[in-house]
Amino acid sequence: MQQRRRTTAADVALTRLGVVLLPVAALLAAAVVPLGFRSVSDLADGIVWFNAMEALAWAAVWLAGWGPNSTLALIGGYRFLAQGLAYELPHMLAITTAALGAESLRVGEVVDTQAGLWFAVWMPVAFAIYLLSAMAMAFWGPFDQPAGRDVAGGAAAELSGVDRIVFLGGRWLLLTVAAAFSVPLFLGGGNGPLLPPWLWTVLKTVAVLAFLVWIRRKVPTLRMDRYMEVAWVVLTPLAILQALVVALVVLVR
Amino acid sequence: MELRSKAARLAVAHPGVLLAACPGATRARLAVEEELLRRSWPVVAGPASANLLVVVGDPDPARADWAENLWNGIPEPKSRAVVREAEQATAALDDGHLALFGPDDQVSVSPREERRMNGVLPSGRAGSRRREGHAPDGPAHAVRDGAAHHDCAEHETESHHSGHSGDGQDEAHGTHGGGHGHDMHAMSVVAGLPMADRADDRDGLRLDRLHVPLGPALLDWPAGLVLRLALQGDVVQQAEVDQISVRASSRHPFWNDPWLRVIAGERVERGLAARRLCAAHLDSVGRFLAVSGWDDEAKRARSARRRVLAGASVEELGVLLRPWARQLRRSRTLRWLTRGLGELSSERAAAAGVTGPALVAGGDAYCRLLVWLDEIERAAAVCGDTRVLDATELSGPRGRLNGPVPPSQALLDVLPGLLEGAEFAGARIIVASLDPDLDELVPVVDSRVAHE
C-alpha cells in the first residue's frame, strides 16, 4: 500500500527494468528445473541456460542500484558486481562438474544419472560450493551485502511500494529457484523411495532452503573485499580439483 | 474500496519505523527501542521502507532541515512522532501510528490519483499531525514523489556549498547535503545536481568522486553523528566529522551519569556504575554486530542490554552473557571479517587523548570488540557491588571523564584518519568499533544538572 517514490534525476526506466528483471530472471531460470522428472522445458543445454538466466540477476541488481541516482543504492550495485566476480567462477566450475558426472548438459539426464548415487555424495565439494553460490546469487544470508542494512538496503535502498515488493520478492524467488536447482544437480532430483517424484523434489528443495535459512543465523555478512580471496585462491582450485576427480571417474567408468 | 482500505490498514498495522536519534537522548532512544520491540514494529534501514519517522531527542529547530529531508523522502502513507523524553515514547508512538489511519483516509488513495493531484497536498495531513510541531514546517508540496526534491534544485544552482550532494538528502538519510565545499573547481550541473568530480584513487587512477554526507538517521549509527565523505566507488577518500545540532540539555549523558555524579560529589554504588558500563558496551557491541551483518547476535546483545538495565541479578547475567561472549570470541568468521580494520595503535590513541577501550585495545576493530567483551563480563560480575565508587575511578564506557575533553571527542578526532582508504562496509565497522557517544558533546544548560 506504500506508494512509489522517486529520487532526483533518477533514471526511472532503468530502475524499473532492474526491478522487474529480477523475478523474470528467476522465473526463466526455473524453466529448466524439473518437478519430479518433468520441467517446463528440458533444454539440451539446460545447465547453461540456468547459468545464463541467473547471471541476468547481475544486470537486474546493478540497474536497480544505478537507476535511483543515489549513492547508497549505487554502492549496493557495485557490491553485487564484486560479489558476482567472486562467486561465479567456482560456481560455474561446480555446475560443470555435475554436468561432467552425467556427461550431459541436459538437466533430465543429470537426474537420470543419479538414480543410484547422488552427486552430492561423490562430489561434495561441488555441492558445497553450489550452496554458497546459491546464497550469493540471491544476495541473501551471509551474502546480503548488496542489499545490506549497513547501506540502508543497498540496491533496494530507494525502492518503495510495489517496486520494493517486486524486487525483494524476486530475490526470494531467485533463492528458491537456486535451492530447487541443487536438487536435480546434486540431490538426485525426483529419485527416492515410496513417495512420488514431485514430492521428493519439493521435500529436498525445502530441506535445502531450510539449511540456507539456518546458516544465515550462524554467520555474519561476508564482505567481498575479504571473500574474493577465498573464492579465487581456495574455492576455485578446489572446484577444479573436484572436476578433475569427477572427470577421471567418468573416464574409468 | 472497502477491501482496499482494509488492506491498507493491515499494511500499516506494523509500520516500518525510521529512527532518527539525536545526541543527548540516549535514555529516550532506549525507551523507544524497547517499545518498538514490544510492539514488534520493524526498524527500517531508510526512508524508502518507512511509514513512521520517529525523531528522538531535542533537535535545534533552527537547524533541523535534515529531519525535514528525511520526512520528504518517506513515501505515503506516513506520519511522524517526536520523542523528547523516555516517558513520552508510548504515547508518541501511539499518536504516530494513529495518524497513519487519518480520518481523511489518504491511505486508500492510489498512486495514480495521487499523481493527478500533482503534489498539492491538503496541508500535509501527517505533517499537521506531528506530535509536538517541533521541526520547522516543510513545504507541503515536497511530500509527493515526483515533487519531492524540487526545492533541491533551487539550492543547488545558488551555490555548490549549500546544496545537496547527489540526492544526498535521501541516501545519506537526513543531512542537508553541503559536502561540496572541499573542491573548488567548477562542476557541471545536471538536473540541478552537480556531477561527480574526479580525483586520483588509491591506485593512482583518476576516478569519479562523490561527496556524500552520511547520517544521522542511519541504522546502527552513533546518534546525531554526520560524516561528510568523499567517496570513490565505495572507498572512502576523505572524511570530516560533523553532527546535528541539538538544544542544550539539562541532563548528564546517560551512559556517563554514575561517574559524573561522583564528580559532582554524590555517593554512587559501584554496582550501579558497573551496570551502566556493561549496558553501554552491550549497546556498542550490538551496533558493531549489526553493522557486521550478524543480526542474531546483535539481537542477543540488545536483549542482554535490556536485562542489565532492568536490574537483572549477577547470576542471571552470567548465564546470559557467558555463552554469548564465548560464541563471539570463538567465531573465526567474525575475526576474519573485522581483523585489520581501523588499526589504532596505543601510541596513536594516547597521543590523540583516547582513554577508553580503544586505548586498551591498541589495535584493530576486532581488538576493540574483544576489549568490550572482556569489560562486559567483568562489569556484569560486579553488578551487585554495594560499596561506594571512589573518586579515583572515573573511567566511563568511553574513557576518563575528568580529562580535558570528553572521551568521545578524542574518538571523533581519530576517526577521519582511520576511515581514509576504507571501503564503505569497513568504514561502517570502524565507526561502530569506536562508537563515539555524542551525548557527551551536548552543551549542558545548567550547572545543577538533573539526574537520571
Side-chain angles (χ1 to χ4, degrees), chain A residues 176-201:
Chain A
T176 312
V177 170
F181 197 55
S182 75
V183 175
L185 276 192
F186 295 102
L187 297 175
N191 289 310
L194 300 175
L195 302 175
W198 67 264
L199 191 55
W200 272 117
T201 310

PDB file of all heavy atoms in Angstrom, chain A residues 176-201:
ATOM      1  N   THR A 176      14.873 -19.358  -3.967  1.00  0.00           N
ATOM      2  CA  THR A 176      14.127 -20.612  -4.022  1.00  0.00           C
ATOM      3  C   THR A 176      14.500 -21.415  -5.261  1.00  0.00           C
ATOM      4  O   THR A 176      14.717 -22.631  -5.188  1.00  0.00           O
ATOM      5  CB  THR A 176      12.613 -20.322  -4.031  1.00  0.00           C
ATOM      6  OG1 THR A 176      12.332 -19.386  -2.996  1.00  0.00           O
ATOM      7  CG2 THR A 176      11.805 -21.578  -3.815  1.00  0.00           C
ATOM      8  N   VAL A 177      14.579 -20.726  -6.394  1.00  0.00           N
ATOM      9  CA  VAL A 177      14.921 -21.419  -7.633  1.00  0.00           C
ATOM     10  C   VAL A 177      16.341 -21.983  -7.558  1.00  0.00           C
ATOM     11  O   VAL A 177      16.598 -23.117  -7.970  1.00  0.00           O
ATOM     12  CB  VAL A 177      14.771 -20.461  -8.839  1.00  0.00           C
ATOM     13  CG1 VAL A 177      15.349 -21.087 -10.093  1.00  0.00           C
ATOM     14  CG2 VAL A 177      13.314 -20.107  -9.050  1.00  0.00           C
ATOM     15  N   ALA A 178      17.244 -21.194  -6.978  1.00  0.00           N
ATOM     16  CA  ALA A 178      18.625 -21.668  -6.842  1.00  0.00           C
ATOM     17  C   ALA A 178      18.674 -22.895  -5.938  1.00  0.00           C
ATOM     18  O   ALA A 178      19.389 -23.862  -6.226  1.00  0.00           O
ATOM     19  CB  ALA A 178      19.505 -20.556  -6.283  1.00  0.00           C
ATOM     20  N   ALA A 179      17.889 -22.860  -4.861  1.00  0.00           N
ATOM     21  CA  ALA A 179      17.838 -24.023  -3.966  1.00  0.00           C
ATOM     22  C   ALA A 179      17.224 -25.209  -4.702  1.00  0.00           C
ATOM     23  O   ALA A 179      17.709 -26.340  -4.612  1.00  0.00           O
ATOM     24  CB  ALA A 179      17.029 -23.695  -2.717  1.00  0.00           C
ATOM     25  N   ALA A 180      16.174 -24.933  -5.476  1.00  0.00           N
ATOM     26  CA  ALA A 180      15.488 -26.009  -6.192  1.00  0.00           C
ATOM     27  C   ALA A 180      16.397 -26.636  -7.243  1.00  0.00           C
ATOM     28  O   ALA A 180      16.330 -27.836  -7.500  1.00  0.00           O
ATOM     29  CB  ALA A 180      14.216 -25.469  -6.849  1.00  0.00           C
ATOM     30  N   PHE A 181      17.271 -25.844  -7.835  1.00  0.00           N
ATOM     31  CA  PHE A 181      18.136 -26.375  -8.890  1.00  0.00           C
ATOM     32  C   PHE A 181      19.226 -27.286  -8.322  1.00  0.00           C
ATOM     33  O   PHE A 181      19.783 -28.114  -9.039  1.00  0.00           O
ATOM     34  CB  PHE A 181      18.764 -25.216  -9.680  1.00  0.00           C
ATOM     35  CG  PHE A 181      19.318 -25.637 -11.011  1.00  0.00           C
ATOM     36  CD1 PHE A 181      18.524 -26.294 -11.940  1.00  0.00           C
ATOM     37  CD2 PHE A 181      20.635 -25.364 -11.354  1.00  0.00           C
ATOM     38  CE1 PHE A 181      19.031 -26.678 -13.170  1.00  0.00           C
ATOM     39  CE2 PHE A 181      21.152 -25.752 -12.591  1.00  0.00           C
ATOM     40  CZ  PHE A 181      20.346 -26.402 -13.500  1.00  0.00           C
ATOM     41  N   SER A 182      19.515 -27.128  -7.027  1.00  0.00           N
ATOM     42  CA  SER A 182      20.515 -28.023  -6.430  1.00  0.00           C
ATOM     43  C   SER A 182      19.969 -29.444  -6.344  1.00  0.00           C
ATOM     44  O   SER A 182      20.737 -30.402  -6.271  1.00  0.00           O
ATOM     45  CB  SER A 182      20.901 -27.526  -5.038  1.00  0.00           C
ATOM     46  OG  SER A 182      19.870 -27.812  -4.109  1.00  0.00           O
ATOM     47  N   VAL A 183      18.649 -29.583  -6.369  1.00  0.00           N
ATOM     48  CA  VAL A 183      18.047 -30.920  -6.251  1.00  0.00           C
ATOM     49  C   VAL A 183      18.330 -31.784  -7.484  1.00  0.00           C
ATOM     50  O   VAL A 183      18.893 -32.868  -7.352  1.00  0.00           O
ATOM     51  CB  VAL A 183      16.537 -30.801  -5.950  1.00  0.00           C
ATOM     52  CG1 VAL A 183      15.876 -32.165  -5.959  1.00  0.00           C
ATOM     53  CG2 VAL A 183      16.338 -30.111  -4.615  1.00  0.00           C
ATOM     54  N   PRO A 184      17.995 -31.341  -8.718  1.00  0.00           N
ATOM     55  CA  PRO A 184      18.375 -32.159  -9.880  1.00  0.00           C
ATOM     56  C   PRO A 184      19.886 -32.247 -10.078  1.00  0.00           C
ATOM     57  O   PRO A 184      20.380 -33.245 -10.595  1.00  0.00           O
ATOM     58  CB  PRO A 184      17.714 -31.433 -11.060  1.00  0.00           C
ATOM     59  CG  PRO A 184      17.433 -30.065 -10.577  1.00  0.00           C
ATOM     60  CD  PRO A 184      17.176 -30.190  -9.110  1.00  0.00           C
ATOM     61  N   LEU A 185      20.627 -31.229  -9.688  1.00  0.00           N
ATOM     62  CA  LEU A 185      22.071 -31.250  -9.937  1.00  0.00           C
ATOM     63  C   LEU A 185      22.806 -32.202  -9.010  1.00  0.00           C
ATOM     64  O   LEU A 185      23.712 -32.908  -9.419  1.00  0.00           O
ATOM     65  CB  LEU A 185      22.658 -29.843  -9.766  1.00  0.00           C
ATOM     66  CG  LEU A 185      22.593 -28.881 -10.940  1.00  0.00           C
ATOM     67  CD1 LEU A 185      23.479 -27.678 -10.654  1.00  0.00           C
ATOM     68  CD2 LEU A 185      23.033 -29.541 -12.228  1.00  0.00           C
ATOM     69  N   PHE A 186      22.434 -32.172  -7.722  1.00  0.00           N
ATOM     70  CA  PHE A 186      23.256 -32.896  -6.754  1.00  0.00           C
ATOM     71  C   PHE A 186      22.491 -33.876  -5.875  1.00  0.00           C
ATOM     72  O   PHE A 186      23.071 -34.738  -5.258  1.00  0.00           O
ATOM     73  CB  PHE A 186      23.987 -31.901  -5.845  1.00  0.00           C
ATOM     74  CG  PHE A 186      24.990 -31.052  -6.561  1.00  0.00           C
ATOM     75  CD1 PHE A 186      24.695 -29.740  -6.907  1.00  0.00           C
ATOM     76  CD2 PHE A 186      26.226 -31.571  -6.906  1.00  0.00           C
ATOM     77  CE1 PHE A 186      25.620 -28.959  -7.576  1.00  0.00           C
ATOM     78  CE2 PHE A 186      27.156 -30.788  -7.575  1.00  0.00           C
ATOM     79  CZ  PHE A 186      26.852 -29.480  -7.907  1.00  0.00           C
ATOM     80  N   LEU A 187      21.164 -33.690  -5.759  1.00  0.00           N
ATOM     81  CA  LEU A 187      20.429 -34.485  -4.772  1.00  0.00           C
ATOM     82  C   LEU A 187      19.489 -35.496  -5.417  1.00  0.00           C
ATOM     83  O   LEU A 187      18.459 -35.864  -4.853  1.00  0.00           O
ATOM     84  CB  LEU A 187      19.652 -33.556  -3.824  1.00  0.00           C
ATOM     85  CG  LEU A 187      20.545 -32.620  -2.991  1.00  0.00           C
ATOM     86  CD1 LEU A 187      19.697 -31.659  -2.174  1.00  0.00           C
ATOM     87  CD2 LEU A 187      21.457 -33.425  -2.071  1.00  0.00           C
ATOM     88  N   GLY A 188      19.802 -35.910  -6.614  1.00  0.00           N
ATOM     89  CA  GLY A 188      19.043 -36.991  -7.224  1.00  0.00           C
ATOM     90  C   GLY A 188      17.695 -36.603  -7.801  1.00  0.00           C
ATOM     91  O   GLY A 188      16.916 -37.477  -8.173  1.00  0.00           O
ATOM     92  N   GLY A 189      17.377 -35.328  -7.865  1.00  0.00           N
ATOM     93  CA  GLY A 189      16.111 -34.902  -8.446  1.00  0.00           C
ATOM     94  C   GLY A 189      14.921 -35.581  -7.806  1.00  0.00           C
ATOM     95  O   GLY A 189      14.808 -35.636  -6.588  1.00  0.00           O
ATOM     96  N   GLY A 190      14.052 -36.138  -8.633  1.00  0.00           N
ATOM     97  CA  GLY A 190      12.846 -36.787  -8.115  1.00  0.00           C
ATOM     98  C   GLY A 190      13.081 -38.216  -7.637  1.00  0.00           C
ATOM     99  O   GLY A 190      12.137 -38.884  -7.209  1.00  0.00           O
ATOM    100  N   ASN A 191      14.328 -38.693  -7.733  1.00  0.00           N
ATOM    101  CA  ASN A 191      14.609 -40.065  -7.305  1.00  0.00           C
ATOM    102  C   ASN A 191      14.444 -40.230  -5.806  1.00  0.00           C
ATOM    103  O   ASN A 191      14.918 -39.416  -5.028  1.00  0.00           O
ATOM    104  CB  ASN A 191      16.040 -40.461  -7.697  1.00  0.00           C
ATOM    105  CG  ASN A 191      16.175 -40.646  -9.189  1.00  0.00           C
ATOM    106  OD1 ASN A 191      15.386 -41.352  -9.804  1.00  0.00           O
ATOM    107  ND2 ASN A 191      17.154 -39.981  -9.783  1.00  0.00           N
ATOM    108  N   GLY A 192      13.771 -41.314  -5.410  1.00  0.00           N
ATOM    109  CA  GLY A 192      13.590 -41.593  -3.992  1.00  0.00           C
ATOM    110  C   GLY A 192      12.544 -42.656  -3.814  1.00  0.00           C
ATOM    111  O   GLY A 192      11.704 -42.850  -4.699  1.00  0.00           O
ATOM    112  N   PRO A 193      12.595 -43.381  -2.705  1.00  0.00           N
ATOM    113  CA  PRO A 193      11.656 -44.479  -2.495  1.00  0.00           C
ATOM    114  C   PRO A 193      10.252 -44.000  -2.086  1.00  0.00           C
ATOM    115  O   PRO A 193      10.101 -42.882  -1.587  1.00  0.00           O
ATOM    116  CB  PRO A 193      12.305 -45.268  -1.356  1.00  0.00           C
ATOM    117  CG  PRO A 193      13.106 -44.249  -0.607  1.00  0.00           C
ATOM    118  CD  PRO A 193      13.552 -43.230  -1.602  1.00  0.00           C
ATOM    119  N   LEU A 194       9.262 -44.827  -2.284  1.00  0.00           N
ATOM    120  CA  LEU A 194       7.886 -44.652  -1.802  1.00  0.00           C
ATOM    121  C   LEU A 194       7.151 -43.439  -2.352  1.00  0.00           C
ATOM    122  O   LEU A 194       6.174 -43.561  -3.082  1.00  0.00           O
ATOM    123  CB  LEU A 194       7.852 -44.607  -0.263  1.00  0.00           C
ATOM    124  CG  LEU A 194       8.388 -45.876   0.431  1.00  0.00           C
ATOM    125  CD1 LEU A 194       8.420 -45.677   1.946  1.00  0.00           C
ATOM    126  CD2 LEU A 194       7.566 -47.097   0.072  1.00  0.00           C
ATOM    127  N   LEU A 195       7.620 -42.238  -1.999  1.00  0.00           N
ATOM    128  CA  LEU A 195       6.874 -41.031  -2.358  1.00  0.00           C
ATOM    129  C   LEU A 195       6.946 -40.762  -3.852  1.00  0.00           C
ATOM    130  O   LEU A 195       7.896 -41.185  -4.515  1.00  0.00           O
ATOM    131  CB  LEU A 195       7.447 -39.834  -1.595  1.00  0.00           C
ATOM    132  CG  LEU A 195       7.432 -39.976  -0.072  1.00  0.00           C
ATOM    133  CD1 LEU A 195       8.124 -38.784   0.571  1.00  0.00           C
ATOM    134  CD2 LEU A 195       6.001 -40.093   0.439  1.00  0.00           C
ATOM    135  N   PRO A 196       5.955 -40.043  -4.387  1.00  0.00           N
ATOM    136  CA  PRO A 196       6.006 -39.672  -5.804  1.00  0.00           C
ATOM    137  C   PRO A 196       7.169 -38.709  -6.065  1.00  0.00           C
ATOM    138  O   PRO A 196       7.560 -37.956  -5.162  1.00  0.00           O
ATOM    139  CB  PRO A 196       4.655 -38.983  -6.035  1.00  0.00           C
ATOM    140  CG  PRO A 196       4.186 -38.569  -4.679  1.00  0.00           C
ATOM    141  CD  PRO A 196       4.732 -39.578  -3.720  1.00  0.00           C
ATOM    142  N   PRO A 197       7.701 -38.735  -7.287  1.00  0.00           N
ATOM    143  CA  PRO A 197       8.880 -37.916  -7.611  1.00  0.00           C
ATOM    144  C   PRO A 197       8.698 -36.424  -7.299  1.00  0.00           C
ATOM    145  O   PRO A 197       9.603 -35.786  -6.772  1.00  0.00           O
ATOM    146  CB  PRO A 197       9.058 -38.137  -9.109  1.00  0.00           C
ATOM    147  CG  PRO A 197       8.409 -39.439  -9.381  1.00  0.00           C
ATOM    148  CD  PRO A 197       7.295 -39.590  -8.406  1.00  0.00           C
ATOM    149  N   TRP A 198       7.526 -35.862  -7.647  1.00  0.00           N
ATOM    150  CA  TRP A 198       7.355 -34.422  -7.429  1.00  0.00           C
ATOM    151  C   TRP A 198       7.477 -34.085  -5.955  1.00  0.00           C
ATOM    152  O   TRP A 198       8.043 -33.063  -5.562  1.00  0.00           O
ATOM    153  CB  TRP A 198       6.016 -33.933  -7.992  1.00  0.00           C
ATOM    154  CG  TRP A 198       4.795 -34.469  -7.283  1.00  0.00           C
ATOM    155  CD1 TRP A 198       4.061 -35.548  -7.662  1.00  0.00           C
ATOM    156  CD2 TRP A 198       4.194 -33.956  -6.096  1.00  0.00           C
ATOM    157  NE1 TRP A 198       3.037 -35.751  -6.787  1.00  0.00           N
ATOM    158  CE2 TRP A 198       3.083 -34.787  -5.809  1.00  0.00           C
ATOM    159  CE3 TRP A 198       4.451 -32.876  -5.254  1.00  0.00           C
ATOM    160  CZ2 TRP A 198       2.254 -34.584  -4.709  1.00  0.00           C
ATOM    161  CZ3 TRP A 198       3.629 -32.666  -4.155  1.00  0.00           C
ATOM    162  CH2 TRP A 198       2.541 -33.518  -3.890  1.00  0.00           C
ATOM    163  N   LEU A 199       6.972 -34.997  -5.106  1.00  0.00           N
ATOM    164  CA  LEU A 199       7.033 -34.735  -3.672  1.00  0.00           C
ATOM    165  C   LEU A 199       8.480 -34.782  -3.181  1.00  0.00           C
ATOM    166  O   LEU A 199       8.888 -33.985  -2.340  1.00  0.00           O
ATOM    167  CB  LEU A 199       6.171 -35.752  -2.928  1.00  0.00           C
ATOM    168  CG  LEU A 199       5.927 -35.435  -1.450  1.00  0.00           C
ATOM    169  CD1 LEU A 199       5.338 -34.039  -1.275  1.00  0.00           C
ATOM    170  CD2 LEU A 199       5.000 -36.463  -0.821  1.00  0.00           C
ATOM    171  N   TRP A 200       9.246 -35.727  -3.758  1.00  0.00           N
ATOM    172  CA  TRP A 200      10.668 -35.772  -3.405  1.00  0.00           C
ATOM    173  C   TRP A 200      11.357 -34.466  -3.757  1.00  0.00           C
ATOM    174  O   TRP A 200      12.125 -33.926  -2.966  1.00  0.00           O
ATOM    175  CB  TRP A 200      11.369 -36.933  -4.115  1.00  0.00           C
ATOM    176  CG  TRP A 200      11.300 -38.203  -3.330  1.00  0.00           C
ATOM    177  CD1 TRP A 200      10.683 -39.352  -3.692  1.00  0.00           C
ATOM    178  CD2 TRP A 200      11.851 -38.436  -2.022  1.00  0.00           C
ATOM    179  NE1 TRP A 200      10.802 -40.291  -2.698  1.00  0.00           N
ATOM    180  CE2 TRP A 200      11.525 -39.751  -1.657  1.00  0.00           C
ATOM    181  CE3 TRP A 200      12.578 -37.647  -1.125  1.00  0.00           C
ATOM    182  CZ2 TRP A 200      11.896 -40.326  -0.441  1.00  0.00           C
ATOM    183  CZ3 TRP A 200      12.959 -38.205   0.094  1.00  0.00           C
ATOM    184  CH2 TRP A 200      12.614 -39.528   0.423  1.00  0.00           C
ATOM    185  N   THR A 201      11.058 -33.973  -4.945  1.00  0.00           N
ATOM    186  CA  THR A 201      11.668 -32.701  -5.347  1.00  0.00           C
ATOM    187  C   THR A 201      11.330 -31.605  -4.348  1.00  0.00           C
ATOM    188  O   THR A 201      12.201 -30.856  -3.902  1.00  0.00           O
ATOM    189  CB  THR A 201      11.163 -32.288  -6.746  1.00  0.00           C
ATOM    190  OG1 THR A 201      11.321 -33.391  -7.627  1.00  0.00           O
ATOM    191  CG2 THR A 201      11.930 -31.106  -7.268  1.00  0.00           C
TER     192      THR A 201
END
